[in-house]
Amino acid sequence: MLALATAGFAVNFWAWALLSPLGPRFKDGLGLSSFEQSLLVAVPVVVGSLGRIPVGALTDRFGGRVMFPIVSAATVVPVLYLGLAGHSSLTALLVGGFFLGIGGTAFAVGVPFVNAWFPPARRGLALGVFGAGMGGTAISALTTVKLVDAGEMATPFLITAAVLGAYAMTAALLLRDAPGRTVPVGPAARRLAAAMRLPVTWQAAALYAVAFGGYVAFSVYLPTYLRTGYGLTQADAANRMAGFVLLAVAMRPVGGWLSDRLGPARVLAGSLAVVVAGAVTQSFTPALAPVGTIAFLSMAAALGAGSGATFALVALLTPADQVGSVTGVVGAAGGLGGFLPPLVMGSLYGAYESYAAGLVLLAVVAAAALAFTLTTVRAATAGDRGRAPAGGRPAGAPAAEGG
């Protein structure tokens, strides 16, 4: 079940990220402004991030066995539209990009699905393995432009749609929800409101906005930074960005595994401390070899591990019947957290012709998150490893009959 969920996450994220690599081509072919190009890339990200909130609540109610095939099949429609007809104008691209955001909601399906299959002591690693499916964005980054060059504009979209369709059918046949899964009662809006009142929802959302948001921001902006700050070619910058992404993806399960053993607060604190050190170092724009490379790769590893630890925190402190709702809010915060930094970096570079101020700002935000982790989060997790926040029952165990 973990393997199937991870594959589904990766395939849906592959589809979700199809427009970003083609942004420069659409800009040249359609005569788009820089703002229009940014808007084109932004729409799927924003819709996919905010869409996780209702999808997470629906997953709590109906389970991943129902929601994974639905989300995957629904994503096929905008992928086919964009490949066959929706790339001829900015309006058509924005409409397709809006519905392409559905693919980004798969994250809020997989977390509660996986969480229910594993005991508390193993959830950090399990959710970290599932989270590695975010590497689907790397598949898109490495293949989309090459497939267009080798075939035509529709090629990557048709291939992705075929894979999505095959996964939707496979998931419908093979996925099974965990025995004894806790099914919530009551309207979705009321359950979502209850999840919003949980302290862990906002604690994890703030931390995920920094950890996963930082990963998203660098994966989007790093090629521009390397070309502008170090004069690298587009191909060299893209390859280095791919290395950053792959290391962050690989470290996400490690962060979950360490959280199972050390506790998520310690792993988050260590990860954020590394981000602070790396951002401060890079603010001086050192030589790329070796200091700059070490700084960026250290931050990649820390952001990946911190993302894994954040959802170990969610698994630790969230009641079983609210994991999907909480995941939706936290996932939305992470996606949106990655959108602001590139805009800030670009604005600051335009004002000062230097990225130093932006990196110092990253260090300040990470330091604030570190202080928050060492105080509020550490206090919340003290004595709570392996327990639900109320009742003493493990967070994934079914309630006794009649109770």
Side-chain angles (χ1 to χ4, degrees):
M1 293 302 106
L2 175 59
L4 280 171
T6 305
F9 181 28
V11 170
N12 278 278
F13 256 42
W14 174 10
W16 190 39
L18 280 171
L19 290 181
S20 181
L22 295 172
R25 187 161 302 203
F26 288 132
K27 180 181 180 181
D28 294 339
L30 299 175
L32 305 182
S33 67
S34 295
F35 173 77
E36 289 172 333
Q37 181 186 351
S38 299
L39 183 63
L40 173 63
V41 175
V43 168
V45 174
V46 173
V47 173
S49 298
L50 295 177
R52 293 173 187 176
I53 297 175
V55 168
L58 289 170
T59 303
D60 276 340
R61 179 66 181 84
F62 297 106
R65 182 175 183 270
V66 171
M67 293 301 295
F68 249 130
I70 288 176
V71 167
S72 302
T75 306
V76 171
V77 177
V79 170
L80 286 176
Y81 166 76
L82 285 166
L84 297 176
H87 56 264
S88 57
S89 69
L90 176 62
T91 301
L93 284 168
L94 291 176
V95 171
F98 181 90
F99 290 100
L100 191 64
I102 296 170
T105 68
F107 179 73
V109 177
V111 170
F113 175 82
V114 171
N115 185 77
W117 271 104
F118 288 85
R122 298 175 62 196
R123 284 184 188 146
L125 175 59
L127 291 173
V129 170
F130 168 76
M134 67 186 189
T137 58
I139 298 175
S140 179
L142 294 172
T143 63
T144 302
V145 174
K146 294 177 182 178
L147 288 171
V148 170
D149 291 339
E152 56 185 0
M153 181 60 71
T155 303
F157 295 92
L158 294 176
I159 291 173
T160 307
V163 175
L164 271 171
Y167 177 78
M169 290 187 290
T170 302
L173 292 172
L174 300 181
L175 275 184
R176 295 292 182 270
D177 288 311
R181 182 180 75 87
T182 304
V183 180
V185 295
R190 185 181 301 168
R191 291 186 282 108
L192 184 58
M196 294 280 196
R197 290 193 294 269
L198 293 174
V200 65
T201 303
W202 301 108
Q203 293 168 7
L207 293 169
Y208 204 56
V210 177
F212 185 71
Y215 158 78
V216 171
F218 275 122
S219 65
V220 169
Y221 200 72
L222 193 56
T224 299
Y225 175 92
L226 292 173
R227 291 200 307 271
T228 305
Y230 289 95
L232 300 186
T233 64
Q234 184 173 358
D236 192 9
N239 289 335
R240 290 173 187 267
M241 181 273 285
F244 182 99
V245 168
L246 292 174
L247 179 57
V249 168
M251 285 300 295
R252 185 156 180 160
V254 175
W257 176 77
L258 287 172
S259 296
D260 286 338
R261 282 147 183 79
L262 305 176
R266 291 181 179 177
V267 179
L268 279 163
S271 299
L272 291 166
V274 171
V275 174
V276 172
V280 169
T281 300
Q282 193 57 36
S283 69
F284 293 99
T285 318
L288 200 53
V291 177
T293 298
I294 293 172
F296 275 118
L297 292 182
S298 297
M299 286 192 285
L303 292 168
S307 297
T310 302
F311 274 92
L313 179 70
V314 170
L316 175 65
L317 297 180
T318 307
D321 60 350
Q322 292 179 291
V323 171
S325 298
V326 172
T327 294
V329 176
V330 175
L336 296 176
F339 209 69
L340 183 61
L343 300 178
V344 173
M345 291 286 281
S347 299
L348 290 173
Y349 185 83
Y352 302 108
E353 295 189 358
S354 171
Y355 288 114
L359 287 157
V360 168
L361 186 58
L362 170 61
V364 170
V365 171
L370 173 59
F372 179 68
T373 299
L374 293 174
T375 54
T376 305
V377 176
R378 175 175 286 180
T381 58
D384 277 327
R385 275 191 86 187
R387 296 193 290 110
R393 177 169 55 88
E401 290 187 6

